[in-house]
Amino acid sequence: LPAYSSIRLRLSVYQPDDTTESYINAKVEELKRIVPENIIAYEDIKLEELVGKLLKDKHCTVATAESCTGGKVASLITSVSGSSEYYKGSVVSYCNEVKADVLGVSRADLEKYGAVSSTVAEQMASGVCHLLKTDYAVATTGIAGPTGGSDEKPVGTVWIAVATPTRVVSRKYVFGKDRSINIERFAASALSMLIVEMEKE
């Protein structure tokens, strides 16, 4: 069941019998071997709900620093009832001045690497984590399109960073040219990456 945010896999058996449960379990184990790094959850749960569940289980908080997603990640997290228990807030740093003045991103790094880079994404995540005093943070910086791309950084490019209590990690994704779809994918990828990093802690 494909969507822009994720793919839900539903395993069905027709004419079930006594072997059905073991058969399904065997197929799930096969999937674990084939795509272990792509499995986010084994239950029917939205990404933002799983983020909330993990944070509540850990008694931790999170903040967001967004550029290209313009608050979409924050909107998804706060769409879950009770999210005020673990979500502190966001900085939508759409211009470099805000990245530097509010989040503490190095102006030299902005000049050298550009806003759409691993260095800047990681500093955004660390900056909002420090600013809002949270355990975790996630940051997005990219080119949603349809304009603004280059050969080196085409439309659909996004760097996402996650700050945890022990480290900061970042990852580059490249999607398509549709702005609204890109924003959805950027935000979903940010939540997925946050989930993966939280589960490692």
Side-chain angles (χ1 to χ4, degrees), residues 172-191:
K172 178 184 176 182
Y173 298 82
V174 181
F175 295 110
K177 298 183 182 298
D178 186 287
R179 182 179 183 84
S180 59
I181 293 174
N182 279 340
I183 290 172
E184 279 193 56
R185 286 177 166 174
F186 293 173
S189 298
L191 292 180

Side-chain angles (χ1 to χ4, degrees), residues 43-55:
E43 55 190 310
D44 190 4
I45 186 172
K46 293 180 179 178
L47 293 173
E48 55 268 31
E49 293 172 340
L50 183 54
V51 165
K53 181 178 183 297
L54 289 170
L55 286 166

Side-chain angles (χ1 to χ4, degrees), residues 2-197:
Y4 295 131
S5 61
S6 60
I7 297 174
R8 292 168 57 209
L9 298 179
R10 179 185 295 157
L11 304 184
S12 302
V13 173
Y14 299 94
Q15 298 179 333
D17 56 29
D18 293 342
T19 66
T20 297
E21 186 173 352
S22 61
Y23 180 78
I24 289 287
N25 290 339
K27 291 301 177 184
V28 170
E29 291 303 315
E30 281 186 42
L31 280 171
K32 287 181 183 179
R33 290 193 295 272
I34 297 169
V35 289
E37 71 283 356
N38 298 115
I39 299 173
I40 297 296
Y42 294 97
E43 55 190 310
D44 190 4
I45 186 172
K46 293 180 179 178
L47 293 173
E48 55 268 31
E49 293 172 340
L50 183 54
V51 165
K53 181 178 183 297
L54 289 170
L55 286 166
K56 284 194 288 188
D57 288 347
K58 290 174 174 287
H59 305 288
C60 289
T61 56
V62 70
T64 52
E66 303 184 58
S67 183
C68 56
T69 45
K72 179 69 174 179
V73 180
S75 177
L76 288 170
I77 293 173
T78 57
S79 70
V80 179
S81 178
S83 54
S84 59
E85 183 180 336
Y86 49 82
Y87 182 70
K88 283 202 173 182
S90 177
V91 174
V92 179
S93 54
Y94 216 67
C95 67
N96 286 350
E97 287 80 6
V98 176
K99 290 179 177 70
D101 296 342
V102 179
L103 294 176
V105 176
S106 163
R107 291 182 184 275
D109 287 344
L110 283 164
E111 180 68 27
K112 181 177 181 180
Y113 302 107
V116 182
S117 63
S118 60
T119 303
V120 169
E122 289 178 9
Q123 290 180 47
M124 288 171 64
S126 296
V128 78
C129 196
H130 177 75
L131 181 68
L132 298 184
K133 296 177 175 58
T134 57
D135 302 290
Y136 293 90
V138 61
T140 61
T141 179
I143 306 162
T147 60
S150 66
D151 290 339
E152 183 184 356
K153 299 175 183 179
V155 168
T157 301
V158 64
W159 276 98
I160 298 170
V162 174
T164 79
T166 60
R167 65 190 181 281
V168 182
V169 297
S170 59
R171 181 177 175 184
K172 178 184 176 182
Y173 298 82
V174 181
F175 295 110
K177 298 183 182 298
D178 186 287
R179 182 179 183 84
S180 59
I181 293 174
N182 279 340
I183 290 172
E184 279 193 56
R185 286 177 166 174
F186 293 173
S189 298
L191 292 180
S192 297
M193 198 169 155
L194 176 60
I195 289 165
V196 169
E197 294 306 317

